Amino acid sequence: MDFLMLNMAPVMFATLVIFLLLGFPVAFTLAAHGLLFGLLGIKLGFFTPDLFQALPQRIFGIIANDSLLAIPFFTFMGLILERSGMAEDLLETIGQLFGPLRGGLAIAVVLVGAMLGATTGVVSASVISMGLISLPIMLRYGYDRRLASGVIAASGTLSQIIPPSLVLIVLADQLGRSIGDMYRGAIIPGGIMVGLYILYVVILSLLRPKAAPAIPAEARTFIEPSGSHGTRSLLVLMAISVAAAAWVGELWLPPGTAIDERIVISVLVWGLAAFVLAVLNKMLRLRLLSRIAERVTFVMIPPLFLIFLVLGTIFLGIATPTEGGAMGAVGAIAMAVLRNRLPMTLLKQAMVTTTKLTSFVIFILIGSTIFTLTFRGVDGDLWVEHLLVSLPGGQIGFLLIVSLFTFVLAFFLDFFELAFIIVPLLGPVADKMGIDLIWFGVLLAVNMQTSFMHPPFGFALFYLRSVAPKDDYKDKLTGRIIKKVTTGQIYWGSVPFICIQLLMVLIVLMFPSTVTHYKSGESTVDPSTVKIDMHSDYGSGGMYGGDGGMPAFK
């Protein structure tokens, strides 16, 4: 009993991890643990029963939290888009665009994964969609199975770091910071991650050409009558659009405009310019654009407009994340209706799935609140603080240990378990050490992204395994027998991309400005330097009249 009284907090944390590893439901494990150790703490005299009087208020605070409404909105938006065929159109179009290049199909998967991440925010939707559509095509044309499976799973996890990610919403809530700031901070690391994936594919295709071959000429559908691929007119269209975006940026945006606002406005102008030129070319029958140029413009611009509708309004301060999510949901419905792909069955499925996922998150959050209340009652927060603050190396030592700790736990726990258990414990310690919590949250988000890729429990690997061929099959187009994709190939394919994700953790650690640029639009005035000079002589105007009656601000 004396041992338990002296080590109540570590025993509580250790038993929680054990029960989670045994497979008990997360929400009920957290809540039951909190209540059980709460009763034990009352019995041992750690605190009085009055502590639990705060529990109803904390639960009602969760339910009344408007920021959490962004979760069902973004989930619903992603499910509508995923089921309306947007992913299929994007993969077909971008695959045809990059297909003539070695590794082009894999590059197309990465780019589509980034676009789906910026519109869906749901890993399962991205991985399953790309696994069903692109994996058979990559296998048909001889892609290495490890590369094909790895790039699909990794590209699906981009939904966790590219806004409007559900991960970033939960982290912002747990750290007590603005969701909008978390989105701003994550946009550049998300872009760098996309670039690293593409760079890996390019290098591998150069070193091992047979692992990522180009699609044959007979498989290219958007061919001009002259026999050309038509990319020249697309490059000209893109150059004109980029020039228009740069001109608007220089002419209309003031010098101090934040980086995220510049990115959003530039992408909007670029997309609008390309879309208007393509529409004029089609309506006036100018025939200046190739088939691939028109196809790319008409398929990619609507999702880009939806991205602006969601993220652009948030970054520009027009809407809150909750309002942006609501507009995104309405925009997704409008896109599906215009494409004539919104039957009632699809709408019902999206609503049911959204309700299940939202309830799942809220119940875990309630269980986490019960656990955290008891854990702090037994001075668990002080135990964690003393444990981490005393680490050698100060902030760097703390961040390295936390990154390693998170990476190891990601082998066994998924993102939600990590976010609701360790983030409330690590956040206060990081804040006391003077670490920017938005930067800390993005660092954790990049690290937790590996939890979806870790063999053997990575959810992205499970999603891909569910749609990858388990037996040899006959390809309908070529008539050839295609070998199955084994679980081992899926696991080995994830390893290089886990290494890339760890490299991204190091980049965020070494270059904090990749995240802290979100402060660039904030006021730089230091309130401590403001002086108020009250004149002793108020002049003829008295206290309320004339210039002499006004205090001077310097």
Side-chain angles (χ1 to χ4, degrees), residues 277-345:
L277 291 174
V279 168
L280 290 175
N281 179 77
K282 192 175 185 66
M283 291 179 63
L284 300 178
R285 299 181 181 180
L286 301 176
R287 297 182 181 180
L288 297 175
L289 296 179
S290 62
R291 294 178 61 198
I292 189 67
E294 283 193 353
R295 175 76 177 182
V296 168
T297 304
F298 290 133
V299 168
M300 291 187 63
I301 297 306
L304 286 175
F305 177 75
L306 188 62
I307 292 171
F308 171 79
L309 187 65
V310 176
L311 299 181
T313 53
I314 295 173
F315 290 168
L316 298 177
I318 300 172
T320 65
T322 302
E323 294 165 346
M327 289 191 294
V330 173
I333 292 175
M335 284 181 58
V337 169
L338 292 174
R339 296 159 61 92
N340 198 23
R341 295 184 179 180
L342 190 63
M344 288 303 298
T345 53

Side-chain angles (χ1 to χ4, degrees), residues 30-40 52 55 370-371 374:
L30 286 168
H33 240 70
L35 293 175
L36 176 63
F37 276 86
L39 296 175
L40 189 59
F52 282 111
L55 194 55
I370 299 173
F371 174 82
T374 301

Side-chain angles (χ1 to χ4, degrees), residues 116-400:
L116 290 178
T119 52
T120 64
V122 183
V123 170
S124 59
S126 299
V127 174
I128 291 174
S129 296
M130 292 190 294
L132 287 171
I133 300 165
S134 64
L135 184 58
I137 300 174
M138 298 172 82
L139 297 179
R140 175 184 303 156
Y141 297 121
Y143 264 71
D144 181 86
R145 281 160 172 73
R146 290 179 294 180
L147 172 62
S149 57
V151 77
I152 290 173
S155 299
T157 63
L158 290 172
S159 300
Q160 299 304 289
I161 189 61
I162 295 179
S165 163
L166 300 184
V167 171
L168 299 176
I169 295 174
V170 173
L171 285 174
D173 177 74
Q174 293 296 294
L175 292 171
R177 290 299 184 267
S178 163
I179 298 175
D181 286 345
M182 193 69 76
Y183 281 177
R184 292 185 183 92
I187 191 169
I188 290 181
I192 296 175
M193 184 82 76
V194 173
L196 290 176
Y197 284 174
I198 293 176
L199 181 62
Y200 169 72
V201 171
V202 170
I203 293 174
L204 186 65
S205 63
L206 292 176
L207 297 178
R208 296 173 53 201
K210 292 184 178 180
I215 63 174
E218 60 270 16
R220 304 171 194 173
T221 56
F222 299 104
I223 301 297
E224 297 301 298
S226 62
S228 68
H229 192 56
T231 54
R232 182 178 301 175
S233 65
L234 177 61
L235 292 175
V236 173
L237 177 64
M238 293 298 103
I240 295 173
S241 303
V242 169
W247 177 73
V248 170
E250 290 294 327
L251 188 64
W252 296 101
L253 296 180
T257 304
I259 296 176
D260 53 283
E261 293 183 15
R262 285 187 175 274
I263 293 174
V264 167
I265 293 175
S266 298
V267 170
L268 174 65
V269 175
W270 167 72
L272 284 177
F275 191 75
V276 169
L277 291 174
V279 168
L280 290 175
N281 179 77
K282 192 175 185 66
M283 291 179 63
L284 300 178
R285 299 181 181 180
L286 301 176
R287 297 182 181 180
L288 297 175
L289 296 179
S290 62
R291 294 178 61 198
I292 189 67
E294 283 193 353
R295 175 76 177 182
V296 168
T297 304
F298 290 133
V299 168
M300 291 187 63
I301 297 306
L304 286 175
F305 177 75
L306 188 62
I307 292 171
F308 171 79
L309 187 65
V310 176
L311 299 181
T313 53
I314 295 173
F315 290 168
L316 298 177
I318 300 172
T320 65
T322 302
E323 294 165 346
M327 289 191 294
V330 173
I333 292 175
M335 284 181 58
V337 169
L338 292 174
R339 296 159 61 92
N340 198 23
R341 295 184 179 180
L342 190 63
M344 288 303 298
T345 53
L346 186 152
L347 187 62
K348 182 180 178 181
Q349 289 175 0
M351 294 175 69
V352 170
T353 306
T354 299
T355 303
K356 288 181 179 179
L357 181 59
T358 305
S359 301
F360 170 72
V361 173
I362 297 301
F363 269 100
I364 292 182
L365 188 52
I366 291 174
S368 171
T369 297
I370 299 173
F371 174 82
T372 304
L373 180 65
T374 301
F375 193 70
R376 290 181 175 175
V378 298
D379 295 331
D381 53 337
L382 297 179
W383 169 68
V384 173
E385 182 180 339
H386 292 157
L387 187 67
L388 296 176
V389 171
S390 58
L391 291 172
Q395 286 188 2
I396 298 299
F398 167 76
L399 291 170
L400 290 176

Side-chain angles (χ1 to χ4, degrees), residues 281-520:
N281 179 77
K282 192 175 185 66
M283 291 179 63
L284 300 178
R285 299 181 181 180
L286 301 176
R287 297 182 181 180
L288 297 175
L289 296 179
S290 62
R291 294 178 61 198
I292 189 67
E294 283 193 353
R295 175 76 177 182
V296 168
T297 304
F298 290 133
V299 168
M300 291 187 63
I301 297 306
L304 286 175
F305 177 75
L306 188 62
I307 292 171
F308 171 79
L309 187 65
V310 176
L311 299 181
T313 53
I314 295 173
F315 290 168
L316 298 177
I318 300 172
T320 65
T322 302
E323 294 165 346
M327 289 191 294
V330 173
I333 292 175
M335 284 181 58
V337 169
L338 292 174
R339 296 159 61 92
N340 198 23
R341 295 184 179 180
L342 190 63
M344 288 303 298
T345 53
L346 186 152
L347 187 62
K348 182 180 178 181
Q349 289 175 0
M351 294 175 69
V352 170
T353 306
T354 299
T355 303
K356 288 181 179 179
L357 181 59
T358 305
S359 301
F360 170 72
V361 173
I362 297 301
F363 269 100
I364 292 182
L365 188 52
I366 291 174
S368 171
T369 297
I370 299 173
F371 174 82
T372 304
L373 180 65
T374 301
F375 193 70
R376 290 181 175 175
V378 298
D379 295 331
D381 53 337
L382 297 179
W383 169 68
V384 173
E385 182 180 339
H386 292 157
L387 187 67
L388 296 176
V389 171
S390 58
L391 291 172
Q395 286 188 2
I396 298 299
F398 167 76
L399 291 170
L400 290 176
I401 293 298
V402 166
S403 298
L404 180 62
F405 178 63
T406 305
F407 177 73
V408 172
L409 284 182
F411 273 96
F412 312 102
L413 306 178
D414 68 9
F415 157 73
F416 285 110
E417 295 167 352
L418 291 171
F420 289 120
I421 296 172
I422 69 169
V423 173
L425 304 180
L426 299 177
V429 180
D431 195 26
K432 287 187 178 180
M433 296 183 73
I435 297 172
D436 185 282
L437 289 188
I438 295 294
W439 177 75
F440 185 64
V442 173
L443 178 68
L444 289 178
V446 175
N447 202 328
M448 289 178 185
Q449 191 179 359
T450 61
S451 68
F452 287 90
M453 296 287 291
H454 276 317
F457 303 117
F459 277 89
L461 307 181
F462 289 160
Y463 298 143
L464 183 60
R465 175 69 278 175
S466 67
V467 297
K470 299 178 179 63
D471 300 300
D472 297 351
Y473 67 96
K474 185 177 182 180
D475 185 66
K476 295 179 180 179
L477 185 64
T478 63
R480 294 188 297 106
I481 299 298
I482 305 296
K483 295 292 185 181
K484 64 182 179 181
V485 177
T486 65
T487 302
Q489 289 169 339
I490 294 176
Y491 284 173
W492 279 110
S494 68
V495 173
F497 293 93
I498 294 175
C499 295
I500 293 174
Q501 291 169 347
L502 293 178
L503 175 61
M504 191 66 229
V505 173
L506 291 178
I507 291 174
V508 174
L509 274 172
M510 295 172 63
F511 304 99
S513 59
T514 56
V515 177
T516 55
H517 68 85
Y518 79 93
K519 298 179 180 180
S520 59

